[in-house]
Amino acid sequence: MQIILLSGGSGKRLWPLSNEVRSKQFIKFFKKDANTYESMVQRMYASIKKAMPDATITVATSKTQVSSLKNQLSDSINVCLEPDRRDTFPAICLAALFLKDECKVDENEAVVVIPVDPYVEQDYFETVKKIAENVDKCTSNITLMGIKPTYPSEKYGYIVPDGKGGVKEFKEKPDVEGAKKLLDLGAYWNGGVFGFKLKYMAEKAKEMLGVSDYNDLFERYSNVSKISIDYALVEKEKSIELVEYAGEWMDVGTWKTLTHVMSEKTLGKVLMDDTCEDSYVINETDLPIIAMGLKNVIVAAGPDGVLVADRDQSSYMKPLVEKVEEPIKYADKSWGSYTVLDSTAKSMTIKVVLRAGNQMKYHMHEHRDEVWTVLSGIGEVTLDGVKRKINVGDTVSIKRNVKHTVEAVTDLVMTEVQVGEDISAGDKKVYKL
């Protein structure tokens, strides 16, 4: 069985901890054991592997998220890279052609598409197995997961069954009264999980997008219309089956819904007194936060900003976040992460964290100088092909046009001061070491 794990998102709904390159699925909210936390993507990936150890997982994602995926999962994960964000139909078509043309997967193999961000328990994946079994039996072109609703929600789309194991119609997000009527009809929430034969989706990609193969779609991807797979294909398909899932499921897309699944009310350096009620404080900065007398409030602090909001009102923050024009100050990289500490027109100071055994690309800058200072750990720096060890307290001066990289022997933390006329990300040339 092939699993396509959809990992998208623009990083606005969980601001300030999420941003354009660090979407919500990469933030470590969920307690794994006494001392460690895991992200949505780590939780989902591990759960799939536990339930279906023989399944092959391919993550469909944008180029801005590849570093975060490899950082949190593995350098060896199977990634189908989207050149641009074009919504779920183009993304799934690209992934299907990637499996067929690049990975040489048999056209008759079952494929199940799963979003990366729902909060679910392990029985969810037993339903995923049932979907794959339906696909193997070739009883329909598409098999959908219908999630049994627990309340009349206006946030989700609905699937109305036909009473014969199929689908009568789809309804987009209704108001609460409309949702109540849909529940009376036995409708299900549409959780965006569905299965098909690889051949089916590969043929639909060619037919509906007018492409010949994976490379053709990849080259033309940025010109493809943005459209969801529900609108483009599923709602028009006549041969559909429905498999019910009645277990725990939550679309963790807002601060309010996230707080429902958090095991603790505080994360990071937070002191909260007993007068706080139904309030949560998440702190990714090194500064302490003291919370007193808060009622139904969410506080989130990170390098990109601070949010203080009523939990209910936090669901409507997107228009305000879109007005924030500050540059991104935190990002995961394949080798670790960086945080911008200070910046001016001609200088920038960042904190660099490299995981043991990882290294930056061998590169140089034409318009800026850099100074590295080791705060903790041991590394090996290379300047124009010459290597040397660095330890705590060492300083490395890198002039413009000097090729350089650093490898972390142990976990390595440094400050990097950039000074020059151009300190943009575009001033970088990569070389083979």
Side-chain angles (χ1 to χ4, degrees):
M1 177 181 28
Q2 300 286 328
I3 300 289
I4 295 176
L5 194 57
L6 294 180
S7 178
S10 60
K12 297 187 186 301
R13 294 195 291 174
L14 291 182
W15 185 90
L17 304 192
S18 62
N19 57 41
E20 191 69 21
V21 297
R22 188 202 190 197
S23 293
K24 61 183 179 180
Q25 57 266 33
F26 301 114
I27 308 172
K28 295 183 179 181
F29 289 119
F30 306 110
K31 198 163 189 177
K32 187 176 181 181
D33 52 44
N35 299 310
T36 61
Y37 292 80
E38 62 183 354
S39 65
M40 297 179 193
V41 70
Q42 288 173 320
R43 190 175 191 271
M44 178 63 75
Y45 194 89
S47 296
I48 294 171
K49 283 296 187 182
K50 180 180 178 180
M52 297 165 280
D54 295 330
T56 299
I57 304 173
T58 298
V59 185
T61 191
S62 64
K63 58 185 177 182
T64 59
Q65 295 185 7
V66 173
S67 290
S68 295
L69 282 166
K70 291 186 175 182
N71 185 321
Q72 294 198 358
L73 299 179
S74 165
D75 281 336
S76 62
I77 59 169
N78 207 30
V79 174
C80 177
L81 180 65
E82 300 167 57
D84 200 357
R85 289 192 174 118
R86 311 311 293 169
D87 216 327
T88 54
F89 180 58
I92 292 165
C93 287
L94 187 70
L97 292 175
F98 174 78
L99 292 175
K100 175 181 173 293
D101 298 332
E102 301 297 303
C103 303
K104 307 302 180 185
V105 174
D106 190 296
E107 288 187 337
N108 291 310
E109 191 159 346
V111 179
V112 181
V113 175
I114 305 175
V116 75
D117 52 5
Y119 184 87
V120 294
E121 296 300 337
Q122 204 63 31
D123 56 347
Y124 173 89
F125 301 98
E126 296 304 315
T127 306
V128 172
K129 287 183 185 178
K130 291 179 183 177
I131 290 174
E133 290 167 2
N134 268 26
V135 173
D136 284 331
K137 293 175 184 176
C138 296
T139 51
S140 62
N141 287 334
I142 295 177
T143 301
L144 292 174
M145 179 187 288
I147 297 166
K148 194 169 181 62
T150 53
Y151 66 98
S153 173
E154 58 187 339
K155 297 177 182 177
Y156 309 131
Y158 286 78
I159 305 168
V160 181
D162 63 5
K164 303 174 185 177
V167 174
K168 180 181 179 181
E169 63 179 328
F170 294 86
K171 292 287 187 181
E172 277 307 301
K173 299 173 183 178
D175 57 23
V176 173
E177 289 304 313
K180 289 178 180 178
K181 293 177 182 178
L182 288 168
L183 263 58
D184 291 338
L185 295 174
Y188 294 93
W189 285 335
N190 183 358
V193 179
F194 48 91
F196 47 81
K197 291 278 189 183
L198 179 58
K199 182 179 180 180
Y200 169 83
M201 193 58 66
E203 289 178 348
K204 287 295 180 181
K206 294 176 182 179
E207 171 193 331
M208 299 178 67
L209 299 180
V211 296
S212 57
D213 56 19
Y214 166 76
N215 287 324
D216 187 20
L217 179 53
F218 188 87
E219 291 297 324
R220 297 163 55 183
Y221 198 78
S222 296
N223 295 320
V224 172
S225 297
K226 290 184 178 181
I227 188 169
S228 74
I229 193 163
D230 294 319
Y231 283 130
L233 181 61
V234 179
E235 294 183 7
K236 300 171 185 175
E237 177 60 63
K238 303 300 181 184
S239 177
I240 295 182
E241 286 185 72
L242 196 61
V243 174
E244 177 185 291
Y245 170 65
E248 184 175 6
W249 179 90
M250 185 176 293
D251 178 14
V252 185
T254 66
W255 280 114
K256 182 180 180 180
T257 55
L258 176 66
T259 57
H260 289 310
V261 297
M262 287 176 59
S263 59
E264 299 173 312
K265 291 192 173 182
T266 65
L267 286 175
K269 290 185 177 181
V270 179
L271 294 173
M272 177 183 282
D273 74 2
D274 294 337
T275 64
C276 293
E277 297 177 10
D278 297 322
S279 295
Y280 295 78
V281 182
I282 298 93
N283 184 11
E284 284 197 336
T285 75
D286 291 329
L287 297 173
I289 293 178
I290 295 176
M292 303 174 67
L294 301 180
K295 315 293 183 187
N296 198 46
V297 168
I298 176 76
V299 178
D304 287 344
V306 179
L307 169 73
V308 181
D310 175 86
R311 285 173 68 204
D312 298 322
Q313 194 62 29
S314 67
S315 301
Y316 307 99
M317 63 186 284
K318 187 175 179 180
L320 289 175
V321 174
E322 289 176 341
K323 294 180 180 180
V324 177
E325 297 181 350
E326 292 291 316
I328 292 170
K329 293 184 174 64
Y330 176 89
D332 288 319
K333 305 296 287 184
S334 58
W335 40 258
S337 66
Y338 74 82
T339 305
V340 177
L341 303 177
D342 184 62
S343 64
T344 68
K346 296 183 180 181
S347 70
M348 181 179 293
T349 303
I350 66 176
K351 179 181 178 180
V352 176
V353 179
L354 284 92
R355 293 177 289 114
N358 287 268
Q359 71 177 72
M360 295 180 182
K361 292 178 180 178
Y362 191 46
H363 65 284
M364 75 169 209
H365 311 288
E366 293 183 334
H367 304 290
R368 71 174 184 254
D369 301 330
E370 294 180 346
V371 177
W372 294 344
T373 302
V374 181
L375 303 180
S376 66
I378 301 171
E380 186 175 71
V381 67
T382 302
L383 302 180
D384 278 342
V386 179
K387 295 182 180 180
R388 68 179 175 93
K389 285 284 182 69
I390 51 174
N391 293 277
V392 177
D394 286 346
T395 298
V396 181
S397 179
I398 306 164
K399 297 299 182 181
R400 61 197 70 191
N401 298 316
V402 172
K403 299 171 188 175
H404 58 280
T405 185
V406 61
E407 180 178 359
V409 178
T410 66
D411 286 349
L412 185 66
V413 180
M414 308 185 304
T415 58
E416 175 179 299
V417 180
Q418 306 172 0
V419 179
E421 296 298 322
D422 181 3
I423 56 171
S424 69
D427 179 24
K428 182 178 181 179
K429 291 185 178 181
V430 177
Y431 299 86
K432 289 185 178 180
L433 184 60

